[in-house]
Amino acid sequence: MPTSTTTVTYTSPPEQKTWQNHLVLDAFYGPLSTVPRRTPMRELISTVLSHRTTHADEELAYNRMLEAFGDWAGVLAAPTAELAHAIRTTRWPDTQAPRIQEILRRIQAEQGDFTLDFLADWPVEKGMEWLTAMPGIGWKTASLVLLFNFQKPVLPVDTHVHRVAQRVGMIGPKVSVEKAHKLLLDQLPKDPVVLLNFHKHNYWLGQHICFFTKPDCARCPLKSFCNYYLEHFGPATAEALAATPHQWGGEKLH
């Protein structure tokens, strides 16, 4: 990996841009620990609820679900229509409700309880295969659970991370989200701390600065080596770089 003193430019190789991205955003947002933010079961179900849904609406749906049905056994036993009503702030409640119940059904049937703790002892490949075999769980959701809760060396790539990676030039413009998981992972150390920080920091950048439309490039700390910035504004000037914030000072992050 390049060192912090390596000069990274618009024409630098993707792996150098990826590492420089990590170094810059680690300083911009501040390093995160790997202490899990949620229990494994909550991480899994909340991530399912979060698809195309805001964080606030995801949290509201999760809380309403547990308030209505008490625990995972109650959620599984609930009439599906009532569960869909409880999670109505999500994007597709009528689709997500039966998916959540099927996920819970499989976990209970195979493990005898509503727990994912066994994944701590499983190799990454086995855990990924087991999780992605369930309805509505793809690479992103499975990677989030394995990285956030069990510190496995995987890299979740959502639409925000994917967009930033393409614009900066860490991956090619035609690389899919699915392929980006492995391409970006191969460019980073297999260190859960680095991988978690890379994911969260690029997720936040995509949420609050590198928007899908009208990205706020003036505030972006990556402009000195970002292909998108070069294409739209030319090489970053000394004035533009001097005006760039060195630390995040915006909305609360989650």
Side-chain angles (χ1 to χ4, degrees):
M1 296 298 167
T3 67
S4 58
T5 57
T6 300
T7 300
V8 177
T9 67
Y10 300 108
T11 58
S12 294
E15 60 273 16
Q16 288 190 7
K17 290 191 172 189
T18 299
W19 186 242
Q20 187 69 6
N21 167 287
H22 167 65
L23 295 176
V24 171
L25 295 187
D26 210 41
F28 187 69
Y29 289 112
L32 302 167
S33 75
T34 56
V35 176
R37 60 181 182 174
R38 301 163 168 167
T39 66
M41 283 296 299
R42 172 155 190 181
E43 190 69 58
L44 178 66
I45 301 303
S46 287
T47 305
V48 171
L49 290 170
S50 74
H51 293 173
R52 302 284 181 169
T53 300
T54 66
H55 179 70
D57 284 342
E58 168 214 320
E59 289 282 291
L60 183 57
Y62 182 90
N63 291 334
R64 281 177 171 169
M65 176 177 65
L66 270 297
E67 287 169 4
F69 307 114
D71 55 18
W72 297 124
V75 173
L76 177 57
T80 305
E82 291 185 20
L83 176 57
H85 180 73
I87 63 170
R88 61 190 179 276
T89 55
T90 60
R91 185 68 179 270
W92 299 289
D94 293 332
T95 299
Q96 300 293 41
R99 279 181 175 174
I100 288 170
Q101 289 182 316
E102 179 59 22
I103 290 167
L104 294 175
R105 186 176 293 113
R106 292 192 192 186
I107 293 173
Q108 184 186 48
E110 294 185 28
Q111 303 303 321
D113 197 1
F114 300 104
T115 181
L116 297 175
D117 291 347
F118 62 93
L119 291 172
D121 300 321
W122 281 16
V124 170
E125 294 76 12
K126 185 177 180 181
M128 287 293 294
E129 183 178 0
W130 187 85
L131 286 166
T132 55
M134 289 192 282
I137 298 180
W139 271 78
K140 185 197 79 171
T141 300
S143 298
L144 283 171
V145 172
L146 292 177
L147 176 61
F148 285 15
N149 292 100
F150 303 107
Q151 292 77 55
K152 301 291 185 178
V154 292
L155 179 64
V157 176
D158 69 348
T159 56
H160 294 301
V161 177
H162 184 247
R163 179 169 65 255
V164 173
Q166 285 190 319
R167 285 178 172 172
V168 170
M170 296 182 276
I171 57 174
K174 295 184 179 180
V175 172
S176 67
V177 173
E178 291 72 23
K179 291 183 178 179
H181 283 84
K182 185 177 188 306
L183 285 176
L184 290 171
L185 180 63
D186 287 347
Q187 296 174 20
L188 291 162
K190 303 306 181 285
D191 179 348
V193 176
V194 171
L195 298 172
L196 184 146
N197 277 272
F198 182 88
H199 166 79
K200 288 298 296 183
H201 291 159
N202 280 282
Y203 172 78
W204 288 336
L205 192 79
Q207 264 193 326
H208 300 284
I209 293 178
C210 194
F211 307 118
F212 179 72
T213 58
K214 297 182 179 179
D216 191 357
C217 295
R219 295 172 69 198
C220 183
L222 308 180
K223 62 170 62 74
S224 66
F225 57 95
C226 174
N227 291 352
Y228 183 94
Y229 189 91
L230 177 65
E231 179 183 349
H232 289 80
F233 304 101
T237 64
E239 292 79 6
L241 293 174
T244 306
H246 296 292
Q247 292 182 313
W248 174 251
E251 307 93 316
K252 182 178 179 182
L253 300 168
H254 63 265

